[in-house]
Amino acid sequence: MALADSEITGTDIDQILSRNRVGIVKSYIYPRALQVLLDGYPDSIDSGASSELSLLKMLTVSRFQLAITDPTVLQYLAEKDGTAEIQVVKMLQEAPLVLSMHDTSENQAYIALIKRLLQARDGQRLDTVTCTDVQ
């Protein structure tokens, strides 16, 4: 992802990573293949963002030229925040969005709501869904 007025182009990911500063969210665990790729360009990677919103704000102030993230999430935040228009420069992979929550008493109502919403959307039961506390 880049600002809409960015002139960054290309299909070769190695070329894109070698020529630009790239922001990622520091607490995310990226798919292994992507992490291996990022590890090959340590001088290009900025892992200072603590969240997607932080990533967007850093992108808008040009701390880096590109952000590796889910385009739907960043687009939503950009529209909600109204700070910048963004574009997809290169789609690295398509994968389902993962939602992670600590299985704590404070989150039980949210977990139950999410399960009900998914059941209503899919018309199926989610009795087998388990919540795992991931650090």
Side-chain angles (χ1 to χ4, degrees), residues 4-53:
D5 60 359
S6 168
E7 296 180 10
I8 299 171
T9 60
T11 57
D12 183 86
I13 189 62
D14 291 302
Q15 187 178 60
I16 291 171
L17 290 174
S18 67
R19 295 181 179 177
N20 299 282
R21 190 105 173 106
V22 180
I24 61 172
V25 178
K26 66 181 167 188
S27 62
Y28 285 6
I29 298 172
Y30 290 92
R32 179 143 178 74
L34 178 56
Q35 189 61 58
V36 167
L37 181 65
L38 297 176
D39 289 346
Y41 298 92
D43 295 335
S44 296
I45 306 304
D46 183 326
S47 60
S50 60
S51 67
E52 297 279 346
L53 184 57

Short mmCIF file of all heavy atoms in Angstrom, two decimals, residues 4-53:
data_model
loop_
_atom_site.label_atom_id
_atom_site.label_comp_id
_atom_site.label_asym_id
_atom_site.label_seq_id
_atom_site.Cartn_x
_atom_site.Cartn_y
_atom_site.Cartn_z
N ALA A 4 -1.87 7.54 -2.61
CA ALA A 4 -2.43 7.53 -3.96
C ALA A 4 -1.57 8.31 -4.95
O ALA A 4 -1.51 7.96 -6.13
CB ALA A 4 -3.85 8.07 -3.95
N ASP A 5 -0.88 9.33 -4.49
CA ASP A 5 -0.06 10.12 -5.41
C ASP A 5 1.35 9.57 -5.56
O ASP A 5 2.20 10.17 -6.23
CB ASP A 5 -0.01 11.59 -4.98
CG ASP A 5 0.58 11.79 -3.59
OD1 ASP A 5 0.95 10.79 -2.93
OD2 ASP A 5 0.69 12.96 -3.16
N SER A 6 1.60 8.42 -5.00
CA SER A 6 2.91 7.79 -5.09
C SER A 6 3.18 7.34 -6.53
O SER A 6 2.29 6.92 -7.25
CB SER A 6 2.97 6.57 -4.17
OG SER A 6 4.11 5.79 -4.44
N GLU A 7 4.42 7.43 -6.91
CA GLU A 7 4.82 6.99 -8.25
C GLU A 7 5.51 5.62 -8.20
O GLU A 7 6.14 5.21 -9.17
CB GLU A 7 5.73 8.03 -8.88
CG GLU A 7 5.01 9.35 -9.11
CD GLU A 7 5.90 10.41 -9.76
OE1 GLU A 7 7.02 10.08 -10.20
OE2 GLU A 7 5.45 11.56 -9.80
N ILE A 8 5.38 4.93 -7.09
CA ILE A 8 5.99 3.61 -6.95
C ILE A 8 5.22 2.63 -7.82
O ILE A 8 4.01 2.51 -7.72
CB ILE A 8 6.00 3.15 -5.49
CG1 ILE A 8 6.81 4.11 -4.64
CG2 ILE A 8 6.53 1.72 -5.37
CD1 ILE A 8 6.70 3.86 -3.15
N THR A 9 5.94 1.94 -8.67
CA THR A 9 5.35 0.92 -9.52
C THR A 9 6.27 -0.28 -9.57
O THR A 9 7.39 -0.24 -9.09
CB THR A 9 5.14 1.44 -10.96
OG1 THR A 9 6.42 1.80 -11.50
CG2 THR A 9 4.20 2.62 -11.01
N GLY A 10 5.80 -1.32 -10.17
CA GLY A 10 6.64 -2.49 -10.36
C GLY A 10 5.92 -3.76 -10.02
O GLY A 10 4.96 -3.77 -9.26
N THR A 11 6.41 -4.81 -10.62
CA THR A 11 5.85 -6.13 -10.33
C THR A 11 6.86 -6.99 -9.59
O THR A 11 6.49 -7.97 -8.99
CB THR A 11 5.43 -6.83 -11.64
OG1 THR A 11 6.58 -6.91 -12.50
CG2 THR A 11 4.30 -6.09 -12.33
N ASP A 12 8.11 -6.61 -9.62
CA ASP A 12 9.16 -7.37 -8.96
C ASP A 12 9.28 -6.94 -7.50
O ASP A 12 9.73 -5.83 -7.21
CB ASP A 12 10.49 -7.16 -9.70
CG ASP A 12 11.60 -8.00 -9.09
OD1 ASP A 12 11.73 -9.17 -9.48
OD2 ASP A 12 12.30 -7.47 -8.20
N ILE A 13 8.88 -7.82 -6.60
CA ILE A 13 8.85 -7.47 -5.18
C ILE A 13 10.24 -7.19 -4.63
O ILE A 13 10.42 -6.31 -3.78
CB ILE A 13 8.12 -8.55 -4.34
CG1 ILE A 13 7.90 -8.07 -2.90
CG2 ILE A 13 8.85 -9.86 -4.38
CD1 ILE A 13 7.04 -6.86 -2.77
N ASP A 14 11.25 -7.92 -5.11
CA ASP A 14 12.62 -7.65 -4.65
C ASP A 14 13.05 -6.24 -5.02
O ASP A 14 13.67 -5.54 -4.22
CB ASP A 14 13.59 -8.68 -5.24
CG ASP A 14 13.36 -10.06 -4.66
OD1 ASP A 14 13.44 -10.20 -3.43
OD2 ASP A 14 13.10 -11.00 -5.43
N GLN A 15 12.70 -5.81 -6.21
CA GLN A 15 13.04 -4.45 -6.65
C GLN A 15 12.29 -3.41 -5.81
O GLN A 15 12.87 -2.41 -5.38
CB GLN A 15 12.68 -4.30 -8.13
CG GLN A 15 13.13 -3.00 -8.75
CD GLN A 15 12.77 -2.95 -10.21
OE1 GLN A 15 11.58 -3.03 -10.55
NE2 GLN A 15 13.77 -2.85 -11.06
N ILE A 16 11.04 -3.67 -5.54
CA ILE A 16 10.23 -2.74 -4.74
C ILE A 16 10.82 -2.62 -3.34
O ILE A 16 10.98 -1.51 -2.81
CB ILE A 16 8.76 -3.20 -4.69
CG1 ILE A 16 8.11 -3.06 -6.07
CG2 ILE A 16 7.98 -2.42 -3.63
CD1 ILE A 16 6.73 -3.69 -6.18
N LEU A 17 11.15 -3.75 -2.72
CA LEU A 17 11.69 -3.72 -1.35
C LEU A 17 13.09 -3.12 -1.29
O LEU A 17 13.43 -2.46 -0.31
CB LEU A 17 11.70 -5.13 -0.76
CG LEU A 17 10.34 -5.73 -0.42
CD1 LEU A 17 10.49 -7.17 0.02
CD2 LEU A 17 9.62 -4.91 0.63
N SER A 18 13.88 -3.32 -2.31
CA SER A 18 15.25 -2.79 -2.28
C SER A 18 15.30 -1.28 -2.51
O SER A 18 16.24 -0.63 -2.09
CB SER A 18 16.13 -3.51 -3.30
OG SER A 18 15.72 -3.20 -4.62
N ARG A 19 14.28 -0.73 -3.13
CA ARG A 19 14.29 0.70 -3.48
C ARG A 19 13.44 1.59 -2.58
O ARG A 19 13.43 2.80 -2.75
CB ARG A 19 13.81 0.87 -4.92
CG ARG A 19 14.73 0.26 -5.94
CD ARG A 19 14.22 0.49 -7.32
NE ARG A 19 15.13 -0.09 -8.30
CZ ARG A 19 14.92 -0.08 -9.58
NH1 ARG A 19 13.82 0.47 -10.08
NH2 ARG A 19 15.79 -0.63 -10.40
N ASN A 20 12.71 1.00 -1.65
CA ASN A 20 11.78 1.79 -0.84
C ASN A 20 11.85 1.39 0.62
O ASN A 20 12.19 0.27 0.97
CB ASN A 20 10.34 1.57 -1.33
CG ASN A 20 10.16 2.02 -2.75
OD1 ASN A 20 10.05 3.20 -3.03
ND2 ASN A 20 10.16 1.06 -3.69
N ARG A 21 11.46 2.32 1.47
CA ARG A 21 11.30 2.05 2.90
C ARG A 21 9.89 1.49 3.07
O ARG A 21 8.93 2.02 2.52
CB ARG A 21 11.48 3.35 3.68
CG ARG A 21 11.57 3.14 5.14
CD ARG A 21 13.02 3.31 5.60
NE ARG A 21 13.07 3.27 7.05
CZ ARG A 21 13.54 2.23 7.71
NH1 ARG A 21 14.02 1.20 7.08
NH2 ARG A 21 13.53 2.23 9.02
N VAL A 22 9.76 0.42 3.85
CA VAL A 22 8.49 -0.30 3.97
C VAL A 22 8.10 -0.42 5.44
O VAL A 22 8.90 -0.87 6.26
CB VAL A 22 8.60 -1.70 3.34
CG1 VAL A 22 7.29 -2.45 3.47
CG2 VAL A 22 9.03 -1.60 1.88
N GLY A 23 6.87 -0.06 5.77
CA GLY A 23 6.38 -0.16 7.14
C GLY A 23 5.56 -1.42 7.36
O GLY A 23 4.80 -1.84 6.49
N ILE A 24 5.76 -1.99 8.54
CA ILE A 24 4.97 -3.15 8.97
C ILE A 24 4.54 -2.94 10.42
O ILE A 24 5.11 -2.11 11.13
CB ILE A 24 5.74 -4.49 8.83
CG1 ILE A 24 6.99 -4.49 9.70
CG2 ILE A 24 6.09 -4.76 7.37
CD1 ILE A 24 7.71 -5.83 9.76
N VAL A 25 3.55 -3.69 10.88
CA VAL A 25 3.12 -3.61 12.27
C VAL A 25 3.99 -4.57 13.08
O VAL A 25 4.07 -5.76 12.79
CB VAL A 25 1.62 -3.98 12.41
CG1 VAL A 25 1.20 -3.95 13.87
CG2 VAL A 25 0.76 -3.03 11.58
N LYS A 26 4.65 -4.02 14.10
CA LYS A 26 5.68 -4.78 14.83
C LYS A 26 5.15 -6.01 15.55
O LYS A 26 5.87 -6.99 15.70
CB LYS A 26 6.43 -3.88 15.80
CG LYS A 26 5.60 -3.34 16.93
CD LYS A 26 6.43 -2.43 17.82
CE LYS A 26 5.55 -1.64 18.76
NZ LYS A 26 6.31 -0.63 19.47
N SER A 27 3.92 -6.01 16.01
CA SER A 27 3.41 -7.14 16.78
C SER A 27 2.80 -8.24 15.92
O SER A 27 2.42 -9.28 16.45
CB SER A 27 2.37 -6.65 17.79
OG SER A 27 1.27 -6.08 17.10
N TYR A 28 2.71 -8.03 14.61
CA TYR A 28 2.08 -9.02 13.74
C TYR A 28 3.05 -10.16 13.44
O TYR A 28 4.25 -9.96 13.30
CB TYR A 28 1.64 -8.40 12.43
CG TYR A 28 0.40 -7.54 12.52
CD1 TYR A 28 -0.20 -7.25 13.74
CD2 TYR A 28 -0.17 -6.99 11.38
CE1 TYR A 28 -1.32 -6.47 13.82
CE2 TYR A 28 -1.29 -6.20 11.45
CZ TYR A 28 -1.87 -5.95 12.66
OH TYR A 28 -2.97 -5.16 12.74
N ILE A 29 2.49 -11.33 13.31
CA ILE A 29 3.24 -12.48 12.84
C ILE A 29 2.83 -12.67 11.38
O ILE A 29 1.69 -13.01 11.08
CB ILE A 29 2.92 -13.74 13.67
CG1 ILE A 29 3.33 -13.51 15.13
CG2 ILE A 29 3.61 -14.96 13.08
CD1 ILE A 29 2.89 -14.59 16.09
N TYR A 30 3.75 -12.40 10.50
CA TYR A 30 3.47 -12.47 9.06
C TYR A 30 3.65 -13.90 8.57
O TYR A 30 4.40 -14.68 9.16
CB TYR A 30 4.39 -11.50 8.31
CG TYR A 30 4.03 -10.06 8.59
CD1 TYR A 30 4.63 -9.35 9.63
CD2 TYR A 30 3.05 -9.41 7.83
CE1 TYR A 30 4.27 -8.04 9.90
CE2 TYR A 30 2.70 -8.11 8.10
CZ TYR A 30 3.31 -7.42 9.13
OH TYR A 30 2.94 -6.13 9.40
N PRO A 31 2.98 -14.25 7.47
CA PRO A 31 3.18 -15.60 6.91
C PRO A 31 4.67 -15.85 6.66
O PRO A 31 5.42 -14.94 6.31
CB PRO A 31 2.40 -15.55 5.59
CG PRO A 31 1.38 -14.48 5.81
CD PRO A 31 2.03 -13.46 6.70
N ARG A 32 5.10 -17.07 6.88
CA ARG A 32 6.52 -17.42 6.82
C ARG A 32 7.19 -16.95 5.54
O ARG A 32 8.28 -16.37 5.59
CB ARG A 32 6.70 -18.93 7.00
CG ARG A 32 8.17 -19.35 6.92
CD ARG A 32 8.48 -20.46 7.88
NE ARG A 32 9.84 -20.91 7.78
CZ ARG A 32 10.90 -20.25 8.23
NH1 ARG A 32 10.75 -19.09 8.80
NH2 ARG A 32 12.12 -20.74 8.12
N ALA A 33 6.58 -17.20 4.40
CA ALA A 33 7.21 -16.81 3.13
C ALA A 33 7.41 -15.30 3.05
O ALA A 33 8.44 -14.82 2.58
CB ALA A 33 6.36 -17.30 1.96
N LEU A 34 6.44 -14.54 3.55
CA LEU A 34 6.56 -13.09 3.55
C LEU A 34 7.64 -12.64 4.54
O LEU A 34 8.45 -11.77 4.23
CB LEU A 34 5.22 -12.43 3.88
CG LEU A 34 5.22 -10.91 3.97
CD1 LEU A 34 5.74 -10.26 2.68
CD2 LEU A 34 3.82 -10.41 4.30
N GLN A 35 7.67 -13.26 5.71
CA GLN A 35 8.68 -12.90 6.71
C GLN A 35 10.09 -13.17 6.20
O GLN A 35 11.00 -12.37 6.39
CB GLN A 35 8.44 -13.63 8.02
CG GLN A 35 9.31 -13.13 9.15
CD GLN A 35 9.08 -11.66 9.47
OE1 GLN A 35 7.97 -11.26 9.78
NE2 GLN A 35 10.12 -10.85 9.37
N VAL A 36 10.28 -14.29 5.52
CA VAL A 36 11.58 -14.61 4.94
C VAL A 36 11.98 -13.53 3.92
O VAL A 36 13.12 -13.07 3.89
CB VAL A 36 11.58 -16.02 4.29
CG1 VAL A 36 12.81 -16.24 3.43
CG2 VAL A 36 11.48 -17.09 5.37
N LEU A 37 11.02 -13.12 3.11
CA LEU A 37 11.27 -12.06 2.13
C LEU A 37 11.66 -10.76 2.84
O LEU A 37 12.65 -10.12 2.48
CB LEU A 37 10.03 -11.84 1.26
CG LEU A 37 10.12 -10.78 0.19
CD1 LEU A 37 11.14 -11.17 -0.87
CD2 LEU A 37 8.76 -10.56 -0.44
N LEU A 38 10.91 -10.37 3.85
CA LEU A 38 11.20 -9.14 4.60
C LEU A 38 12.56 -9.22 5.29
O LEU A 38 13.29 -8.22 5.33
CB LEU A 38 10.11 -8.87 5.63
CG LEU A 38 8.71 -8.60 5.08
CD1 LEU A 38 7.72 -8.44 6.23
CD2 LEU A 38 8.69 -7.40 4.18
N ASP A 39 12.91 -10.38 5.80
CA ASP A 39 14.20 -10.56 6.48
C ASP A 39 15.37 -10.32 5.53
O ASP A 39 16.47 -9.99 5.98
CB ASP A 39 14.30 -11.96 7.09
CG ASP A 39 13.39 -12.15 8.29
OD1 ASP A 39 12.87 -11.14 8.82
OD2 ASP A 39 13.17 -13.32 8.67
N GLY A 40 15.12 -10.47 4.24
CA GLY A 40 16.17 -10.23 3.25
C GLY A 40 16.45 -8.75 3.02
O GLY A 40 17.43 -8.41 2.34
N TYR A 41 15.63 -7.87 3.56
CA TYR A 41 15.79 -6.42 3.36
C TYR A 41 15.70 -5.67 4.70
O TYR A 41 14.88 -4.78 4.86
CB TYR A 41 14.72 -5.90 2.39
CG TYR A 41 14.84 -6.54 1.03
CD1 TYR A 41 14.13 -7.69 0.72
CD2 TYR A 41 15.70 -6.01 0.08
CE1 TYR A 41 14.27 -8.29 -0.52
CE2 TYR A 41 15.85 -6.61 -1.16
CZ TYR A 41 15.13 -7.75 -1.45
OH TYR A 41 15.28 -8.35 -2.67
N PRO A 42 16.54 -6.01 5.66
CA PRO A 42 16.42 -5.40 7.00
C PRO A 42 16.57 -3.88 7.00
O PRO A 42 15.95 -3.21 7.83
CB PRO A 42 17.54 -6.08 7.80
CG PRO A 42 18.51 -6.55 6.78
CD PRO A 42 17.69 -6.89 5.56
N ASP A 43 17.35 -3.34 6.08
CA ASP A 43 17.54 -1.89 6.04
C ASP A 43 16.35 -1.16 5.44
O ASP A 43 16.25 0.06 5.58
CB ASP A 43 18.81 -1.53 5.25
CG ASP A 43 20.07 -2.04 5.95
OD1 ASP A 43 20.04 -2.21 7.19
OD2 ASP A 43 21.08 -2.27 5.26
N SER A 44 15.47 -1.89 4.79
CA SER A 44 14.29 -1.27 4.16
C SER A 44 13.05 -1.34 5.04
O SER A 44 12.06 -0.66 4.77
CB SER A 44 13.97 -1.97 2.83
OG SER A 44 15.02 -1.79 1.91
N ILE A 45 13.08 -2.17 6.08
CA ILE A 45 11.89 -2.43 6.88
C ILE A 45 11.84 -1.55 8.12
O ILE A 45 12.79 -1.47 8.89
CB ILE A 45 11.82 -3.92 7.29
CG1 ILE A 45 11.93 -4.82 6.07
CG2 ILE A 45 10.55 -4.20 8.08
CD1 ILE A 45 10.89 -4.58 4.98
N ASP A 46 10.70 -0.89 8.31
CA ASP A 46 10.43 -0.08 9.50
C ASP A 46 9.32 -0.79 10.27
O ASP A 46 8.18 -0.85 9.81
CB ASP A 46 9.98 1.32 9.08
CG ASP A 46 9.75 2.26 10.26
OD1 ASP A 46 9.31 1.78 11.33
OD2 ASP A 46 9.98 3.46 10.11
N SER A 47 9.67 -1.33 11.42
CA SER A 47 8.69 -2.08 12.21
C SER A 47 8.22 -1.29 13.42
O SER A 47 7.88 -1.85 14.46
CB SER A 47 9.27 -3.43 12.65
OG SER A 47 10.43 -3.23 13.43
N GLY A 48 8.16 0.02 13.29
CA GLY A 48 7.79 0.87 14.41
C GLY A 48 6.30 1.03 14.66
O GLY A 48 5.90 1.52 15.71
N ALA A 49 5.46 0.62 13.73
CA ALA A 49 4.02 0.79 13.90
C ALA A 49 3.46 -0.21 14.90
O ALA A 49 3.75 -1.40 14.83
CB ALA A 49 3.30 0.64 12.56
N SER A 50 2.65 0.28 15.82
CA SER A 50 2.06 -0.59 16.84
C SER A 50 0.67 -1.08 16.45
O SER A 50 0.12 -1.95 17.12
CB SER A 50 2.00 0.14 18.18
OG SER A 50 1.21 1.31 18.04
N SER A 51 0.10 -0.52 15.38
CA SER A 51 -1.24 -0.90 14.94
C SER A 51 -1.43 -0.48 13.48
O SER A 51 -0.59 0.22 12.92
CB SER A 51 -2.30 -0.19 15.80
OG SER A 51 -2.24 1.21 15.54
N GLU A 52 -2.54 -0.89 12.91
CA GLU A 52 -2.85 -0.48 11.54
C GLU A 52 -3.01 1.04 11.45
O GLU A 52 -2.56 1.66 10.49
CB GLU A 52 -4.14 -1.15 11.06
CG GLU A 52 -4.07 -2.65 10.98
CD GLU A 52 -3.40 -3.16 9.73
OE1 GLU A 52 -3.21 -2.39 8.77
OE2 GLU A 52 -3.05 -4.35 9.71
N LEU A 53 -3.64 1.64 12.46
CA LEU A 53 -3.82 3.09 12.45
C LEU A 53 -2.47 3.80 12.53
O LEU A 53 -2.23 4.79 11.83
CB LEU A 53 -4.74 3.53 13.59
CG LEU A 53 -5.09 5.02 13.63
CD1 LEU A 53 -5.74 5.48 12.33
CD2 LEU A 53 -6.00 5.31 14.81
#
